[in-house]
Amino acid sequence: MNTRDYQDLDRAHHLHPFTDFKALGEEGSRIVTHAEGIYIHDSEGNRILDAMAGLWCVNLGYGREELVEAATAQLRELPYYNNFFKTTHPPAIKLAEKLVQLAPAHMNRVFFTGSGSEANDTVLRMVRRYWALEGKPDKQWIIARENAYHGSTVAGLSLGGMAPMHGQGGPTVPKIAHVRQPYWFGEGRGMQGGGSDPDSFGRECAAALEAEILALGEENVAAFIAEPVQGAGGAIIPPASYWPAVKEVLARYDILLVVDEVICGFGRLGEWFGSVHYDLKPDLMPIAKGLSSGYLPIGGVLVGDRVAETLIEEGGEFFHGFTYSGHPVCAAVALKNLELMQAEGIVERVRDDVGPYLAERWATLAEHPLVGEARSLGLIGALELVGDKATGARFPKSLGVGTLCRDICFETGLVMRSVGDTMIISPPLVIRRAEVDELVRLARQALDETARRLAAGSAVDDRPYLEETRS
Ligand code: PXG
């Protein structure tokens, strides 16, 4: 089959996630056929540097034989059994033990799911159940953040702060509130001056959280949920003041902290968990993606002792679980993935070597005329595209500059995502220094071409997925 055949069949039968079905049908999809290391290949013979690690998940890179072997061996041994009805199997037991060894000391239990969305559904039920068991059934409100992404199931999207998602498919889950995100470049700096410096802004965001707690009443608030660094929202690295101030606020009130580690977990920020980088000591940590380097779908919730002890001692049966909770093949692959990460010192490499190297190289893009800010932490990074470098003013939204740049990146041989006019990267953690150089060179080339086409007046007006969801 050639590209056209694939595209015709795809158009006829396949509804893609977060996609304008009709627009994609007209344009035709890109067919990715195989991959190795940090490169994907498409059906037209293009080799493309995947600076998004698939969808923030292929942390060990493509083509790791050890993971293929772990899956194959487990498929032969026991392809499926469940963890309901007083049964389990070695892969789930061993993976739980490994996760607890890697997690902060006070987290000693894990509940497995098939995805990050299911992990956040589990979080929602667990925190409300916890408070009911503690004799505080009114503590039901969960505070999340505007522009947050916590998944696409009904609980996931309700916790998320993406207004267009809330607008489709009927009412969201009740008793979830959203407070402002610590997005200094987008919301804090003030476009014509008059904004805050990053640290004051970080404290203002924490104060907004406290104000929301007081407005709802502490006695009604169950938990605060946030990513250490917002991924899908636009690789938003909070000001240094933000997390310490949020911790202070949460310590004043009796509210659980849920840190969504679906993207930041497993080395992305140069520690095993983003919570360790920011010293957060969460009560619950939803995980997925990098847990298996995306080779097979698996997620879970790491549960701190405070919540686990109540659920275990007081709870009786917890009526919750999925057919694929702790699936043996997914668990075997995840375990092998974590073992490889340990054996190869991947997390330390991100922290001490390739993360700082990316930071240095990425920062050089700040000089580009289209770039208002270049930021990174570990192996997550963003470029803010601006129409006026002197004032930092954005392009008119209707120009779709981020989309244009993203499409040019593909043509240039680079996967770089756009969220509005923010370009984001999250490359495989195994990326080498020479590949970082190539990534930055390709990004610069794409920026140059974007500037050239803008000058020639050929911006596009189609909007990419998730772009419309920026609140
Ligand atoms: N939490 C966070 C922080 C995520 O990034 C989820 C939960 C949900 O995980 P599942 O496995 O149910 O997808 C995610 C997922 C994007 C994009 O465009 C990001 C995600 C998913 C789809 C697209 O950046 N993150």
Side-chain angles (χ1 to χ4, degrees):
M1 289 199 352
N2 62 25
T3 302
R4 232 356 238 288
D5 299 332
Y6 279 125
Q7 286 177 331
D8 288 346
L9 281 177
D10 189 57
R11 179 182 299 113
H13 305 302
H14 183 190
L15 301 175
H16 293 221
F18 278 95
T19 294
D20 177 334
F21 306 130
K22 191 170 170 202
L24 180 67
E26 284 157 13
E27 201 179 326
S29 40
R30 179 181 298 272
I31 318 295
V32 176
T33 52
H34 59 287
E36 90 283 321
I38 65 163
Y39 297 93
I40 57 171
H41 295 257
D42 70 17
S43 55
E44 291 292 279
N46 298 305
R47 178 183 189 249
I48 305 169
L49 193 162
D50 181 10
M52 281 307 297
L55 206 45
W56 317 85
C57 54
V58 187
N59 288 357
L60 276 189
Y62 299 95
R64 292 299 303 247
E65 243 346 275
E66 304 94 324
L67 298 181
V68 177
E69 276 162 23
T72 313
Q74 187 57 47
L75 278 164
R76 291 213 172 89
E77 184 83 13
L78 179 73
Y80 178 77
Y81 204 73
N82 66 67
N83 294 283
F84 290 52
F85 317 131
K86 304 185 192 174
T87 64
T88 185
H89 42 68
I93 296 168
K94 290 185 199 162
L95 179 60
E97 182 202 24
K98 174 65 74 187
L99 282 166
V100 163
Q101 282 168 2
L102 298 173
H106 69 288
M107 308 193 93
N108 287 295
R109 303 272 184 343
V110 60
F111 190 103
F112 287 117
T113 67
S115 67
S117 297
E118 288 176 8
N120 279 321
D121 277 54
T122 304
V123 158
L124 182 126
R125 299 200 62 212
M126 257 185 196
V127 298
R128 290 181 175 168
R129 175 101 183 112
Y130 167 80
W131 286 114
L133 291 168
E134 288 288 304
K136 297 184 178 172
D138 292 337
K139 276 174 97 67
Q140 289 191 7
W141 279 88
I142 301 176
I143 303 178
R145 302 185 301 191
E146 292 160 5
N147 192 41
Y149 190 79
H150 295 297
S152 205
T153 52
V154 174
L157 77 90
S158 302
L159 291 168
M162 296 190 162
M165 288 179 79
H166 291 180
Q168 292 180 342
T172 53
V173 174
K175 298 196 177 177
I176 296 173
H178 295 88
V179 294
R180 74 180 311 178
Q181 54 177 342
Y183 181 22
W184 181 77
F185 191 89
E187 297 176 6
R189 71 198 157 111
M191 291 294 282
Q192 314 296 334
S196 310
D197 63 274
D199 277 333
S200 308
F201 181 66
R203 283 188 291 273
E204 286 164 29
C205 294
L209 169 63
E210 181 160 27
E212 187 67 28
I213 294 169
L214 294 173
L216 294 169
E218 176 196 350
E219 66 285 2
N220 300 316
V221 179
F224 173 60
I225 180 168
E227 285 180 90
V229 167
Q230 271 159 274
I236 296 164
I237 302 166
S241 62
Y242 178 73
W243 275 116
V246 165
K247 275 168 59 182
E248 252 178 61
V249 167
L250 293 176
R252 270 201 283 286
Y253 309 96
D254 198 13
I255 291 167
L256 300 176
L257 172 59
V258 182
V259 178
D260 185 333
E261 296 274 3
V262 168
I263 284 177
C264 295
F266 309 105
R268 177 76 34 211
L269 305 187
E271 297 287 350
W272 277 98
F273 297 97
S275 299
V276 176
H277 176 83
Y278 287 113
D279 188 25
L280 299 181
K281 302 197 175 58
D283 294 292
L284 298 162
M285 295 198 307
I287 53 175
K289 294 194 189 272
L291 169 56
S292 65
S293 280
Y295 277 52
L296 285 174
I298 182 165
V301 182
L302 275 156
V303 184
D305 293 339
R306 173 179 177 183
V307 172
E309 271 154 31
T310 298
L311 293 179
I312 293 164
E313 297 305 325
E314 317 287 337
E317 181 172 350
F318 184 41
F319 301 113
H320 182 78
F322 307 96
T323 302
Y324 302 125
S325 285
H327 188 288
V329 184
C330 305
V333 167
L335 179 63
K336 179 56 76 179
N337 175 61
L338 299 178
E339 287 170 356
L340 289 169
M341 287 187 67
Q342 280 186 302
E344 295 171 12
I346 302 285
V347 177
E348 295 76 11
R349 223 183 123 255
V350 173
R351 187 186 59 211
D352 302 330
D353 178 47
V354 73
Y357 187 70
L358 176 82
E360 186 196 311
R361 305 297 307 139
W362 192 247
T364 64
L365 294 172
E367 294 151 19
H368 195 278
L370 284 186
V371 175
E373 182 181 85
R375 58 175 179 268
S376 75
L377 175 64
L379 286 187
I380 193 167
L383 302 174
E384 299 285 3
L385 303 187
V386 292
D388 182 338
K389 200 167 168 82
T391 61
R394 297 282 198 187
F395 285 102
K397 207 178 171 201
S398 59
L399 278 181
V401 173
T403 316
L404 174 69
C405 183
R406 182 201 60 187
D407 291 349
I408 291 171
C409 283
F410 261 118
E411 292 167 23
T412 312
L414 175 69
V415 184
M416 178 156 70
R417 271 277 314 282
S418 60
V419 178
D421 287 349
T422 309
M423 306 308 298
I424 56 182
I425 56 159
S426 166
L429 304 185
V430 293
I431 191 169
R432 294 184 294 243
R433 283 180 173 230
E435 293 167 335
V436 168
D437 293 342
E438 187 189 352
L439 190 169
V440 173
R441 183 176 59 71
L442 290 170
R444 181 172 285 115
Q445 203 177 318
L447 289 168
D448 287 345
E449 178 61 16
T450 305
R452 199 190 63 72
R453 287 203 214 165
L454 282 169
S458 67
V460 292
D461 60 8
D462 68 314
R463 314 299 290 172
Y465 76 112
L466 276 191
E467 178 166 334
E468 286 293 352
T469 60
R470 162 67 63 66
S471 58

